[in-house]
Amino acid sequence: MAGKFCVSLTHAGDDPDRATVAFVVANAALGSEQETVVFLSTEGVRLAEQGYADGIHEEGFMPLAELMSAFAGGGGEIYVCAPCYNKRGLDTDNLVEGAVIVGGAKLVEFLAGGTPSVSY
């Protein structure tokens, strides 16, 4: 990979447009040979649960579940904020492909070298 890129996502079903565009951009970063991480926090952590994204489909885009699957299948990593996930009582045994529960230190480590990041 040529470099690193991070997409920070704080939305899920509460704002399907932002959630979808975040994964469109994340897939574009992978396609540009960037080591790419999507960081899910606050409401965004809901996307880490298998099946949650299945009904989210913004007009003009691929369905969100397909975008997420393509991202994980292409080698992208999904960092899931541990406190946000736990606060919502979500099942850690039901994560989507590519998702890993992390603390803030893991994100800081990824970003510490000046990694560019966008937020949705």
Side-chain angles (χ1 to χ4, degrees):
M1 296 272 171
K4 293 181 175 182
F5 193 78
C6 179
V7 176
S8 179
L9 177 56
T10 60
H11 296 279
D14 62 318
D15 193 335
D17 194 28
R18 286 184 194 219
T20 299
V21 171
F23 274 94
V24 168
V25 171
N27 278 298
L30 275 182
S32 298
E33 298 185 7
Q34 302 298 304
E35 178 184 349
T36 307
V37 164
V38 171
F39 178 64
L40 301 177
S41 63
T42 60
E43 279 300 297
V45 299
R46 296 187 184 282
L47 293 173
E49 272 207 314
Q50 288 183 26
Y52 181 90
D54 289 351
I56 300 175
H57 187 187
E58 283 292 299
E59 185 176 338
F61 297 97
M62 288 174 51
L64 183 54
E66 289 180 30
L67 288 166
M68 292 176 65
S69 180
F71 178 73
E77 289 187 275
I78 301 171
Y79 288 177
V80 183
C81 172
C84 300
Y85 201 79
N86 294 335
K87 173 185 174 181
R88 287 159 178 81
L90 302 175
D91 183 0
T92 57
D93 293 327
N94 193 32
L95 294 173
V96 296
E97 178 187 357
V100 60
I101 305 289
V102 300
K106 183 75 171 169
L107 178 64
V108 170
E109 179 185 325
F110 186 80
L111 296 173
T115 300
S117 179
V118 294
S119 298
Y120 293 93

